[in-house]
Amino acid sequence: MPQSKETPANTVVIAQEFSAANQLAALTIEANDAAHAMAVQIGYQGAMTVGALEDEIRFYQRRTVEAILETGKRLLVLKELTAHGEFAQRVEMLGFARTTAFRFMQAAAKTAKSSKLEQLSTQVKSASAFLELVTHDDDVLENLTNMDAVEKMSASQLRAALRDAHKEKEASEKLMADKNAKIDRLEHRIQIMSADEVLEEVMKEATTITRDALGAIRGGVRQALTALNDVPAASGTQSVFMAGLVGQIQADLNALREEFNLPDVSNAADAQLAGEVAQWAE
């Protein structure tokens, strides 16, 4: 009886191929889930395939701020779709330097989380100027969002403005640190002082703070009102604005008086109490 010439199936090889296919499918599903999660996080609603993403990345490679953000979004999603170690090669194939791709991705990710940066992205027209903003925190960007001329600034002008904002932040932090240190020293002294000594010390400190506040009102606020009053205008806009500024100060003073149930001695109606107030100030 003739023997069959068919080669028996190698069940081990078949099992290995099925296992590899299942692993690849699992990795693909995991990559797709990660890519979709990234798309939702950064507000991306475009294509979700590698080929389409690469085509759109090439389209958005024009260096406008919008293009930077859109390119960065697609790079972030593409990174999630590609296998480990493959993304860098794809970035090079697209003609990107790795540092440039990273800055675009950083810009997109940070803008999605920062309302200040998102607002500035619609004002700043220079790509290099916008990328300069991405490296700074929101408390520094806060000063820029209120500047009318920010959309006309060059990258060098923006860097100068950011340096000034950093200096303001550092000065504010130093002032706060000095005040906290002063309070700590005062609290330490209070722990070893009698009640009368504590009262006298606190009254002196309160007097100093009040004098600072009065100085700000009589100096800075008055100068601001004078400058506003000197600007020629056909309408009564200035007066309304100035009244609003003074009204805010007055409202805070009234709130303090109500909070601590204090009599109004601003007109020295109570001569004895007014005299005591004057004595405290000394």
Side-chain angles (χ1 to χ4, degrees), residues 10-59:
N10 190 329
T11 56
V12 174
V13 173
I14 294 175
Q16 289 176 344
E17 290 177 350
F18 270 112
S19 176
N22 289 334
Q23 289 178 1
L24 180 60
L27 289 173
T28 302
I29 293 172
E30 183 179 351
N32 285 334
D33 289 342
H36 280 286
M38 175 59 71
V40 171
Q41 180 181 339
I42 61 177
Y44 171 68
Q45 298 178 347
M48 294 296 295
T49 64
V50 170
L53 284 166
E54 289 181 342
D55 288 342
E56 291 187 351
I57 288 171
R58 291 187 181 92
F59 174 80

Side-chain angles (χ1 to χ4, degrees), residues 217-252:
I217 293 173
R218 294 169 180 171
V221 175
R222 188 177 186 281
Q223 289 178 4
L225 294 175
T226 301
L228 285 167
N229 193 56
D230 290 343
V231 177
S235 64
T237 305
Q238 290 151 290
S239 297
V240 174
F241 182 75
M242 292 162 65
L245 296 178
V246 175
Q248 290 176 15
I249 297 172
Q250 186 64 53
D252 283 347

Side-chain angles (χ1 to χ4, degrees), residues 181-195 197-202 204-205:
K182 195 171 184 179
I183 291 172
D184 290 340
R185 289 195 299 270
L186 180 59
E187 288 179 346
H188 176 71
R189 292 182 61 187
I190 286 174
Q191 293 174 359
I192 60 176
M193 294 165 63
S194 67
E197 289 173 331
V198 169
L199 177 59
E200 181 180 357
E201 193 70 24
V202 174
K204 286 180 180 178
E205 181 68 19

